[in-house]
Amino acid sequence: MEPVKILDNVYWVGALDYGIRDFHGYRTDSGSTYNAYLIVDEKITLIDAVKKDMHPELLSRVSRIVDPARIDYVVSNHAEMDHSGALPEIMRAVGFDKPVYCSKMGEKALAAQLQTPGLNYKTVGTGDTLKLGKYSLNFVETRMVHWPDSMVSFCPELGVLFSQDAFGMHLATSRRFDDEVAENVWAYEALKYFANILTPFTTPIAKTLEALTESGLLAQVKIICPDHGLIWRSNLGSIVGRYSRWVKQEPTRKAVVVYDSMWRSTDCMARALADALSTHGVLARLMDLKKNHRSDVAAELYTAGAILVGSPTINNEMYPTVAELLCYLRGLKFQNKIGAAFGSYGWSGEAAKHIQAALGDMKYSLPTPEARIQWAPKETSPEALMVMAKAVADALPEKRVPPDFDL
Ligand code: FEO
């Protein structure tokens, strides 16, 4: 398999995973890539690895440039298995005596996960530099972006930032660079990735962006090479600007109305709510959980100010799909969101109450009590739902939804 030249002496040598559809609970309809990079200098250096069992693809691409046994250094910017699982097999080809540079937390995580004695870990931290010849790598620890071990490597001579998970996206394509893919595709995939992977870590991401800006490093970056998706060589300002905006989690005048339904009563309620929200100038996204995955809901919610969650009551509980969504959203720890619960019922009607309580536990603000309708709505615009829609609209900021959010 062929490598892709990024610059003289810098190559992409990763693996393409067109078939993956589940990435720890995130539905990856567009597949993914595990990016690895080779720098050819006096010391030949591999940056990051790929998922277990994908080492033949990486080694095949490397072999088109150099014999893998000629690699001198390996850098592991991030220990999660999508970037380290193949490390033992790769080191068998490279040589177990060769150093694997990683953070202190990285060594712990790699040793515990790979369970491969004999790997020659060398720990590095912020401020450390590795000389490769005419090039060098400066390491910066970026804890919790995405894991405690995460770090980035910057080559100042080339202006290349190897950013591990940061600025990534789950997108498998034969194109490697941002300017080879339409903006609406990469903008959505980058947002979906951020919402589903990085939302819990917006505070450390904001601090990292600030530190990289203050140190002057970001201003020197000409190319960003992340561990997933496209290499940024033309839209750096755009993706860094998006991250700077996304970390703020600012609410917009947009609401996600998400629900499941048994006999279409809750479905009718959801439609009435979405319609009423629109009349108040709110961009409403109607998402039926029978047709929309929780990770698509998370992506829509990221750029919204409110979520209205609906479920019928079944056996005194909410629908399992709705419970699953709430569990997923609780883990993502969204900030600055408004919540509201609704649902139909036959006898007892606990579901909407349980949803309302769950949204409150997640610290969403609740401008209105839950709305419940027994059996089925008797009119197309039930009063309780009109009141709910107005309360949510009144609680949302007046600010319009920026056009680039309306993907
Ligand atoms: Fe792509 Fe946190 O691993």
Side-chain angles (χ1 to χ4, degrees):
M1 288 180 154
E2 294 296 325
V4 176
K5 187 173 176 178
I6 300 170
L7 292 169
D8 284 344
N9 306 318
V10 182
Y11 300 87
W12 174 86
V13 291
L16 299 171
D17 196 350
Y18 283 100
I20 188 170
R21 288 294 178 272
D22 179 273
F23 198 97
H24 49 53
Y26 163 177
R27 193 167 76 187
T28 47
D29 289 320
S30 306
S32 193
T33 68
Y34 314 108
N35 295 338
Y37 302 96
L38 192 77
I39 302 177
V40 180
D41 200 349
E42 286 169 33
K43 297 294 183 186
I44 298 173
T45 304
L46 176 69
I47 298 181
D48 291 323
V50 293
K51 202 171 165 182
K52 189 173 170 61
D53 299 331
M54 298 190 94
H55 58 278
E57 186 170 338
L58 181 148
L59 292 172
S60 158
R61 295 189 199 278
V62 169
S63 298
R64 294 288 191 162
I65 308 161
V66 293
D67 179 345
R70 286 188 55 211
I71 290 174
D72 298 286
Y73 301 150
V74 173
V75 173
S76 174
N77 280 321
H78 181 23
E80 192 164 3
M81 294 293 276
D82 47 334
H83 313 297
S84 69
L87 212 44
E89 287 302 328
I90 289 167
M91 295 314 289
R92 272 181 198 104
V94 170
F96 258 57
D97 57 319
K98 305 287 179 63
V100 177
Y101 291 92
C102 57
S103 67
K104 279 186 188 156
M105 296 295 280
E107 179 180 3
K108 283 186 189 168
L110 290 168
Q113 290 182 116
L114 300 176
Q115 300 181 18
T116 307
L119 285 177
N120 182 17
Y121 299 114
K122 300 276 187 205
T123 60
V124 290
T126 300
D128 288 338
T129 295
L130 181 66
K131 283 296 290 177
L132 310 182
K134 58 185 172 181
Y135 309 132
S136 58
L137 289 174
N138 297 340
F139 301 110
V140 181
E141 289 178 84
T142 56
R143 289 193 175 196
M144 304 318 296
V145 187
H146 163 221
W147 273 13
D149 67 281
S150 293
M151 66 177 195
V152 298
S153 306
F154 177 58
C155 177
E157 296 83 5
L158 296 169
V160 178
L161 178 68
F162 299 95
S163 64
Q164 48 98 31
D165 276 346
F167 307 116
M169 70 185 73
H170 287 311
L171 174 68
T173 160
S174 61
R175 308 292 189 192
R176 295 275 64 77
F177 296 97
D178 58 339
D179 46 45
E180 299 173 322
V181 171
E183 179 171 354
N184 65 333
V185 174
W186 62 249
Y188 180 73
E189 294 296 348
L191 171 64
K192 185 176 177 184
Y193 175 95
F194 192 101
N196 282 278
I197 306 269
L198 298 176
T199 299
F201 312 114
T202 49
T203 302
I205 295 169
K207 285 185 182 156
T208 299
L209 284 172
E210 202 178 304
L212 294 179
T213 304
E214 279 176 7
S215 69
L217 189 152
L218 263 187
Q220 299 174 60
V221 176
K222 298 187 183 112
I223 297 178
I224 298 177
C225 294
D227 275 358
H228 297 286
L230 303 171
I231 295 163
W232 303 96
R233 66 180 179 188
S234 298
N235 296 286
L236 278 79
S238 183
I239 190 63
V240 173
R242 279 173 159 86
Y243 266 55
S244 302
R245 193 169 70 234
W246 292 340
V247 293
K248 295 179 189 162
Q249 299 205 44
E250 286 178 332
T252 66
R253 201 164 177 77
K254 170 181 168 183
V256 178
V257 182
V258 59
Y259 66 99
D260 207 335
S261 194
M262 195 186 304
W263 299 113
R264 297 207 59 229
S265 295
T266 303
D267 177 275
C268 289
M269 293 175 75
R271 287 169 191 280
L273 278 168
D275 198 60
L277 285 163
S278 324
T279 65
H280 293 296
V282 176
L283 174 67
R285 285 276 186 263
L286 188 68
M287 304 187 85
D288 179 349
L289 283 169
K290 286 192 189 354
K291 297 168 189 159
N292 293 276
H293 192 260
R294 56 180 176 267
S295 49
D296 294 310
V297 176
E300 285 292 346
L301 181 57
Y302 204 85
T303 56
I307 184 166
L308 294 82
V309 183
S311 172
T313 295
I314 178 166
N315 300 329
N316 308 108
E317 289 290 346
M318 66 184 85
Y319 244 47
T321 48
V322 178
E324 179 189 271
L325 172 73
L326 291 173
C327 175
Y328 190 69
L329 295 182
R330 185 163 55 242
L332 288 174
K333 299 183 181 65
F334 282 96
Q335 296 169 19
N336 308 323
K337 300 297 181 207
I338 289 164
F342 64 95
S344 70
Y345 67 101
W347 310 287
S348 52
E350 291 91 342
K353 293 179 184 176
H354 290 329
I355 294 168
Q356 184 89 346
L359 293 170
D361 286 347
M362 289 153 60
K363 301 194 170 31
Y364 289 24
S365 64
L366 305 170
T368 168
E370 67 272 11
R372 303 184 305 151
I373 290 180
Q374 194 168 21
W375 299 117
K378 295 177 182 59
E379 51 190 342
T380 51
S381 303
E383 179 62 20
L385 300 182
M386 298 305 102
V387 169
M388 171 174 275
K390 180 156 190 331
V392 170
D394 286 349
L396 285 171
E398 280 301 318
K399 194 173 139 188
R400 300 293 301 173
V401 180
D404 59 340
F405 278 174
D406 189 13
L407 293 164

